[in-house]
Amino acid sequence: MAARNFQWHMIGAFVLFAISARLLWSPLSSLQTTGNPLPDHVNSDLLSQVKTGHDIANNKELHHDVTTLEVPLLHRNISRSTRHDRRALMTYGYAVCKGDILWAKLQEAFAGRVPAGPQFERSDFSNGWSLAPGKDQGKLKERWHAAFKGFANDRVPTGDEVSHLRALQNKPFLLSAGYPVTTPTGGEYTLQYIPAWSAMLATFVNSPSNRLTDSFNTPYPQPVNPLNVPSLIPPLNRLSDVSWYIYNLIGNAAKIRYIGHDWINNDDTINIVEDIFTAYTDVADPDLPWPGLVFDVASEEGRALLATPNSLAIAWMMVDHAGVLGRRRPRVHVFNDETGQICLLWDLVPV
């Protein structure tokens, strides 16, 4: 009898342990990626932006499970980069596939079939952000001399025409539900606005969400976020939203025509650019001064470049504000500045 009672006690203890473990683990497991594991060549950070940042994976144009999609390299003989990183880099084939989705979304937005994106105001920016004057430490006017003369009336902007601004996520903030977060992420966007030319250039980008997971050296300690919980960033956090808000402070964002990325050092973007350079010049790092290579967004190369980390914000700015911007037909210049650095300039051509 004693042995039987002991067995029942052991069974009861095991059941209680199983129930407790389930209750404790279920909130954590709900934060993990669902579905099959990602292929090695898929950048999970970028995929997260596609799936959750704007819910594009649920868009009706997509008929595949993005988490398991194997995309072969497309018809042009473009090889993968030999650069090694802590993760596999974005491939050309995957970038084209992702660009297809973005271009379809843009066309839907220009046709008026996509609701307008969030419209952030001063109170949203004050929730965790501050605006500080920036400096042209990289001598942008000298390095972009040929590009400026090429797209802006054959001259270089004067100092009074350029506003150098730094958007810093350096203050405590409230989450959407009102919960206070006392530790800033240290996110930063350094932007140069030239309203007279309807232009905006990003010279340094390190988003709040990126700051939660990387080891970038900033003066702010990283929040304890082992599960990469996306809610530990302020409601206003994406480059597309922050840059649009700031542009409207100093000009009319509806008139924006040129958006560029200077001195690109993102490995995924460089990987795609080098693949395209190799296809057209047989070398991965040619010296291609302005105007460089020019691709319409409907071309395979244009869609691949639209999907790179340095162009995603431009795509979503157009989607979110299509009603204000009107129909556009973007094309992109990919070129080297005067010092040989890779740069992108998107020309949002009105239609």
Side-chain angles (χ1 to χ4, degrees):
M1 181 66 69
R4 182 173 298 175
N5 289 337
F6 177 78
Q7 290 176 347
W8 282 110
H9 283 302
M10 291 298 293
I11 293 173
F14 178 81
V15 171
L16 288 174
F17 174 80
I19 293 173
S20 300
R22 174 63 178 170
L23 291 174
L24 287 172
W25 178 248
S26 57
L28 301 181
S29 61
S30 63
L31 297 171
Q32 308 303 313
T33 303
T34 57
N36 296 326
L38 297 175
D40 291 338
H41 68 275
V42 174
N43 177 350
S44 60
D45 294 335
L46 297 177
L47 182 63
S48 176
Q49 292 180 37
V50 175
K51 294 190 68 178
T52 61
H54 290 273
D55 201 27
I56 195 171
N58 294 323
N59 190 45
K60 62 183 180 181
E61 287 86 2
L62 182 63
H63 304 290
H64 304 282
D65 176 10
V66 180
T67 62
T68 59
L69 188 61
E70 289 285 352
V71 184
L73 295 178
L74 301 189
H75 65 80
R76 194 167 278 113
N77 185 24
I78 292 182
S79 62
R80 295 176 178 174
S81 171
T82 57
R83 185 186 294 105
H84 296 287
D85 195 6
R86 65 181 182 275
R87 54 167 174 75
L89 294 178
M90 188 184 215
T91 64
Y92 180 82
Y94 176 69
V96 173
C97 177
K98 184 175 176 181
D100 288 342
I101 303 170
L102 288 168
W103 176 226
K105 190 77 170 180
L106 273 172
Q107 294 180 85
E108 289 285 297
F110 290 143
R113 293 191 288 268
V114 177
Q119 306 299 311
F120 292 101
E121 301 177 352
R122 183 179 297 273
S123 58
D124 300 298
F125 188 82
S126 300
N127 182 27
W129 291 88
S130 63
L131 195 60
K135 295 181 179 179
D136 188 10
Q137 297 176 336
K139 297 182 178 181
L140 182 70
K141 287 193 294 184
E142 287 81 359
R143 291 187 294 104
W144 275 54
H145 185 272
F148 279 136
K149 294 189 70 174
F151 76 82
N153 300 321
D154 198 32
R155 69 182 182 88
V156 176
T158 64
D160 293 339
E161 292 176 311
V162 183
S163 296
H164 306 279
L165 297 170
R166 298 172 66 207
L168 306 170
Q169 206 291 285
N170 59 356
K171 299 188 298 184
F173 56 91
L174 296 177
L175 299 177
S176 299
Y179 181 81
V181 177
T182 59
T183 305
T185 64
E188 176 181 344
Y189 300 125
T190 302
L191 305 159
Q192 304 201 36
Y193 294 88
I194 316 175
W197 293 357
S198 303
M200 175 179 68
L201 304 175
T203 57
F204 180 79
V205 173
N206 196 22
S207 68
S209 59
N210 189 55
R211 279 289 297 123
L212 294 184
T213 55
D214 73 4
S215 57
F216 205 88
N217 182 24
T218 75
Y220 308 102
Q222 296 186 50
V224 178
N225 189 21
L227 295 177
N228 190 21
V229 182
S231 59
L232 291 181
I233 55 179
L236 173 60
N237 61 81
R238 294 185 177 90
L239 174 60
S240 58
D241 296 324
V242 173
S243 58
W244 179 268
Y245 168 79
I246 296 175
Y247 198 110
N248 277 314
L249 292 179
I250 59 176
N252 183 0
K255 296 181 179 180
I256 196 166
R257 171 71 183 266
Y258 304 101
I259 305 179
H261 264 277
D262 170 53
W263 216 325
I264 290 172
N265 60 9
N266 180 279
D267 284 342
D268 286 304
T269 301
I270 292 174
N271 197 44
I272 301 304
V273 169
E274 287 184 348
D275 284 346
I276 293 174
F277 278 167
T278 301
Y280 281 86
T281 69
D282 294 327
V283 292
D285 56 347
D287 182 14
L288 282 179
W290 177 268
L293 299 175
V294 185
F295 301 105
D296 184 271
V297 70
S299 69
E300 181 181 291
E301 297 86 353
R303 298 194 309 275
L305 291 167
L306 186 69
T308 60
N310 290 91
S311 297
L312 275 176
I314 300 168
W316 283 112
M317 181 183 291
M318 287 188 288
V319 170
D320 288 341
H321 305 285
V324 176
L325 290 168
R327 186 180 291 272
R328 304 292 183 100
R329 179 78 174 204
R331 62 187 179 193
V332 60
H333 294 257
V334 53
F335 64 101
N336 299 110
D337 67 10
E338 304 294 336
T339 65
Q341 300 296 324
I342 294 175
C343 302
L344 294 175
L345 180 72
W346 283 91
D347 182 356
L348 312 185
V349 182
V351 176

